[in-house]
Amino acid sequence: MNNDIRPLLLNYDDAAKKLGLSRPALRDLVYKRRGPATINIGRRTMFAYKDLEIWVDGLRKPAPQPANIDMPKRKRGRPSIADKMLRGEL
């Protein structure tokens, strides 16, 4: 028998626990329409596992790319300390 069976729907407490949030934080996100999609059954508000996964995937940001350090040459005056450090003069 497979013990990996999970329910289709989660209540606020279980969904908040799976997301690592407090129940009030999840309720606030849903109230502000910034949280995962909900399913209403009578007076009960439930969350589908798939909706939680989709919501988390939508929050994901790409990894930052390394910055291009090529700085434009100064037109006049002495170079700053930062410019010298970038060029390896210090």
Side-chain angles (χ1 to χ4, degrees), residues 1-3 24 30 35 38 40 43 58 60 62 67 70-71 76-78 83 90:
M1 187 163 151
N2 188 0
N3 291 335
V30 170
T38 60
N40 294 324
R43 292 184 176 185
R60 209 173 280 207
D70 295 335
M71 293 181 61
R76 57 189 166 124
R78 295 189 330 204
D83 289 337
L90 288 180

Side-chain angles (χ1 to χ4, degrees), residues 6 13 26 50 57 67:
R6 61 184 185 186
D13 290 327
L26 180 58
K50 290 180 183 179
D57 287 340

Side-chain angles (χ1 to χ4, degrees), residues 1-37:
M1 187 163 151
N2 188 0
N3 291 335
D4 256 354
I5 298 174
R6 61 184 185 186
L8 291 175
L9 299 175
L10 300 170
N11 60 16
Y12 265 104
D13 290 327
D14 295 335
K17 199 178 295 183
K18 293 288 181 193
L19 293 171
L21 299 172
S22 67
R23 179 187 170 119
L26 180 58
R27 290 183 64 87
D28 188 53
L29 286 170
V30 170
Y31 175 76
K32 293 178 179 176
R33 298 181 189 262
R34 293 179 14 201

